[in-house]
Amino acid sequence: MLLCYNAVTKNSDNNLIIKKFLPFVEIIHNGTLMIDDIEDDSKLRRGKECIHKIFGIDVAINAGNAMYYLPYSIIKNSNLKQKIKLLIHELIAEEMTKLAFGQATDIYWHNNIYDVTENQYLQMCAYKTGTLARISAKLGAILGDGNREQIDALGKFAESIGVAFQIQDDILNITNTKWGKDFGEDITEGKKSLIIIKTLNKANEKDKKRLLEILNLKTKDKELIREAIKIIDKYCAIEYSKKVAEDIVSKAWKELEKIISYSDSKNKLKLFTDFLVNRKI
């Protein structure tokens, strides 16, 4: 948000407004994580017990829902013009609706037998994971008095970061055993990630049938999870998914470069993006 603000503003010395808004999306984000952990029946978040495991499902749902609305007090108590306040309210309402649709799609896919295409998966990610990144970027650009073209371009670029982040998240779920979540949790959920979609498209009938069997079991058996990962590795689905993530961000960056003038913030935005796409945690 701050990088996007500084990338468009002509008055970077006046950072008081943007500083007040910096917690805005992170508060909403943590609310979504509380609810998501309940929906997925997760045990760990960032290496510690999930909120609903510590305080109960009732407390976690209530706290998560409250965190969707707490940030509105930042808008109310700001000295922004009514026109800008309305623009921000419209942005949040539209994007949070997309977030719910993205999550609903993801839930439906891993609870039902459904052949998900790569394009459908990327659209789901644009709604589910791209939303919060899009809000951050657009909000920063709005507060920095960016024009419509800049706001939209930064939002689209941030969406690409969100999609790439989700793909990398799926990769880490089955490759990193020390990242603060249950190892192989996505396989336990039967999640239709890009890795799974690519494997099912390339696999022979025997491997495809076996992978679907394991996914449909919703198993927590580590041996079965490793067997599923072995099938995934056989068809180089992880390497393919990494390439897709890199290409999505690269394409969005080329479009953004035409619209945003060079600045230190623009350079940092590119470095930040490279880190997210290639992160190990």
Side-chain angles (χ1 to χ4, degrees), residues 71-271:
Y72 283 97
S73 63
I74 300 174
I75 305 173
K76 181 182 178 182
N77 296 326
S78 72
N79 294 321
L80 294 171
K81 295 178 181 178
Q82 288 300 115
K83 181 180 178 181
I84 300 299
K85 285 185 177 182
L86 178 60
L87 193 60
I88 295 172
H89 276 291
E90 289 177 345
L91 170 67
I92 303 305
E94 178 183 346
E95 294 294 352
M96 290 303 289
T97 302
K98 289 179 180 178
L99 179 69
F101 272 113
Q103 180 71 347
T105 303
D106 195 27
I107 291 170
Y108 179 80
W109 285 348
H110 66 245
N111 284 332
N112 295 274
I113 298 172
Y114 186 82
D115 290 329
V116 182
T117 67
E118 184 172 318
N119 285 337
Q120 287 173 330
Y121 170 80
L122 294 176
Q123 180 61 68
M124 182 276 293
C125 288
Y127 276 7
K128 179 181 176 178
T129 319
T131 288
L132 294 169
R134 220 168 27 242
I135 293 175
S136 297
K138 285 189 171 184
L139 189 51
I142 289 169
L143 294 171
D145 289 324
N147 59 42
R148 173 49 58 187
E149 188 179 33
Q150 291 173 327
I151 293 169
D152 289 343
L154 283 165
K156 188 64 180 177
F157 177 65
E159 176 189 297
S160 78
I161 294 175
V163 173
F165 184 93
Q166 182 62 60
I167 293 172
Q168 183 67 357
D169 203 64
D170 296 339
I171 291 169
L172 289 174
N173 190 275
I174 62 172
T175 60
N176 192 335
T177 59
K178 299 178 180 179
W179 77 311
K181 288 186 181 181
D182 290 333
F183 174 67
E185 187 180 71
D186 288 351
I187 292 172
T188 299
E189 292 174 30
K191 186 174 180 180
K192 304 296 195 305
S193 66
L194 181 59
I195 301 166
I196 297 297
I197 294 167
K198 183 62 178 177
T199 304
L200 293 175
N201 285 339
K202 288 187 68 179
N204 60 42
E205 283 303 313
K206 180 182 177 182
D207 288 340
K208 181 177 179 179
K209 182 182 177 181
R210 182 55 179 160
L211 180 57
L212 285 172
E213 283 176 354
I214 296 172
L215 292 172
N216 291 333
L217 285 172
K218 305 294 177 68
T219 182
K220 293 186 179 181
D221 186 302
K222 297 304 178 186
E223 287 304 313
L224 288 175
I225 290 172
R226 290 189 183 95
E227 183 183 348
I229 293 170
K230 190 175 180 180
I231 296 172
I232 290 167
D233 287 339
K234 181 178 177 180
Y235 295 97
C236 303
I238 292 173
E239 290 77 8
Y240 174 82
S241 298
K242 285 180 179 178
K243 182 68 167 55
V244 170
E246 290 168 0
D247 288 348
I248 288 170
V249 174
S250 177
K251 182 180 178 182
W253 178 256
K254 286 178 181 176
E255 292 300 314
L256 183 66
E257 270 196 313
K258 304 172 188 175
I259 297 166
I260 305 296
S261 302
Y262 178 80
S263 66
D264 184 53
S265 292
K266 182 179 178 181
N267 186 48
K268 287 178 180 177
L269 195 60
K270 181 65 168 64
L271 293 172

